[in-house]
Amino acid sequence: MLELDGFTLAGRVGPVSGEFRAGALTLLIGPNGSGKSSLLAGAAGLVEGEGRVRLLGKDLHGFDLSELARQRAMLAQQASLPQGLRGYELLALAAEPVGGVSEAVCVAMAGLGAPLGLDGLYARHVNQLSGGEQQRLLIARTLLQVDPGVNPDGALLLLDEPLAGLDWQHQLATLRLLRRYADLGLAVVASIHDINLACQYADEIWCLHRGRLAARGGPEVITPELIAEVFGVAVRLLEQDGARLLLPDTEAGC
Ligand SMILES: Nc1ncnc2c1ncn2[C@@H]1O[C@H](COP(=O)(O)OP(=O)(O)OP(=O)(O)O)[C@@H](O)[C@H]1O
């Protein structure tokens, strides 16, 4: 789906090679400054680096902006909200690349409303919402843009720290929605800081360290040794009923 071949942004990330696969939820982890946002921006075609980035086999920089807006959606880390808009107007913006608000858009919005708790937010001015409420609307806008029921060209979903500022209920709801969009056939990629949630929900985890991939694979690649090397913290691994949990090792002084 989205192939990176030696992608590099000098001083920020790379070289990184690999593929974000259709139907898979890929979660990026790594310390602050390890290159997660830079990699997502490169995958979205928002910055041009060295190496190659191909979406559905075509060089990303061969897409015109409207074509790109139909094929991929990106939630930026500190997305700014247009002033003066109400919640439903913000969501309606997502429908612009696919011809405006239609019945299919309303159906998709209704499907996002319950898990993201949007019903009380549609009529309110977005700049008067709490940080977490704004984030939930921004997540919905991003998902809507490439929702298969709305946009048959939607292929790639990129989200930079979608869980930032969300309470636990909405963190889990968001991860379940990302899982659902991957199951619908999209390539879904998000950066997150909660390593245990990454292990629980990801099909594939990419662990970045100083701009390079330190590990890539299923949850089993995230070991206490890797965490010590990449994050510089001691953790111990608990395994029960197939679940894996990394806990700070308090005896090691953490
Ligand atoms: N616009 C920019 N110009 C130059 N360097 C940048 C720019 N944005 C980020 N960097 C640098 O690139 C490196 C990677 O930053 P990036 O934002 O990709 O990390 P990150 O893993 O997303 O971090 P965080 O977890 O803090 O969000 C850092 O050293 C950062 O200081």
Side-chain angles (χ1 to χ4, degrees):
M1 169 71 71
L2 189 285
E3 295 161 80
L4 301 153
D5 184 3
F7 175 72
T8 305
L9 275 178
R12 295 174 61 178
V13 70
V16 172
S17 298
E19 182 180 4
F20 298 137
R21 291 180 290 114
L25 172 57
T26 304
L27 294 177
L28 310 182
I29 62 169
N32 292 143
S34 58
K36 302 178 298 297
S37 300
S38 303
L39 187 61
L40 287 166
L46 299 177
V47 290
E48 197 165 356
E50 294 160 45
R52 298 189 69 178
V53 185
R54 283 186 294 260
L55 177 58
L56 296 165
K58 179 174 162 182
D59 195 283
L60 206 54
H61 296 287
F63 286 83
D64 66 41
L65 278 181
S66 62
E67 199 183 359
L68 205 53
R70 287 182 64 84
Q71 302 218 320
R72 68 96 182 96
M74 165 85 179
L75 173 68
Q77 191 174 1
Q78 281 154 346
S80 57
L81 283 163
Q83 294 291 304
L85 286 188
R86 294 181 190 270
Y88 68 86
E89 292 170 315
L90 179 76
L91 288 201
L93 290 176
E96 277 185 7
V98 290
V101 176
S102 59
E103 197 179 328
V105 170
C106 294
V107 169
M109 274 167 76
L112 295 169
L116 291 174
L118 302 180
D119 289 348
L121 309 182
Y122 289 129
R124 295 180 57 194
H125 282 108
V126 292
N127 46 315
Q128 292 173 359
L129 298 177
S130 77
E133 290 168 339
Q134 291 182 356
Q135 181 76 345
R136 278 149 48 196
L137 275 172
L138 287 167
I139 291 167
R141 183 181 71 170
T142 309
L143 300 183
L144 204 52
Q145 189 182 328
V146 288
D147 186 293
V150 169
N151 172 7
D153 297 331
L156 175 66
L157 196 44
L158 301 160
L159 305 103
D160 198 354
E161 296 197 25
L163 308 188
L166 296 189
D167 60 48
W168 212 23
Q169 177 194 352
H170 292 106
Q171 288 188 35
L172 300 182
T174 298
L175 286 165
R176 281 195 291 267
L177 282 170
L178 299 188
R179 168 85 270 142
R180 189 203 296 173
Y181 279 80
D183 290 344
L184 289 171
L186 278 82
V188 182
V189 189
S191 60
I192 74 172
H193 279 290
D194 188 320
I195 295 166
N196 285 317
L197 286 181
C199 288
Q200 195 173 350
Y201 282 87
D203 293 308
E204 190 163 86
I205 299 171
W206 290 25
C207 177
L208 285 157
H209 183 37
R210 298 182 182 141
R212 306 284 184 100
L213 270 176
R216 174 172 55 197
E220 67 284 353
V221 304
I222 309 303
T223 61
E225 294 74 23
L226 180 82
I227 299 298
E229 180 197 332
V230 171
F231 293 88
V233 294
V235 295
R236 60 200 170 92
L237 176 64
L238 296 185
E239 288 183 281
Q240 197 176 348
D241 303 329
R244 295 161 53 87
L245 192 60
L246 291 159
L247 286 179
D249 188 349
T250 45
E251 285 173 19
C254 286

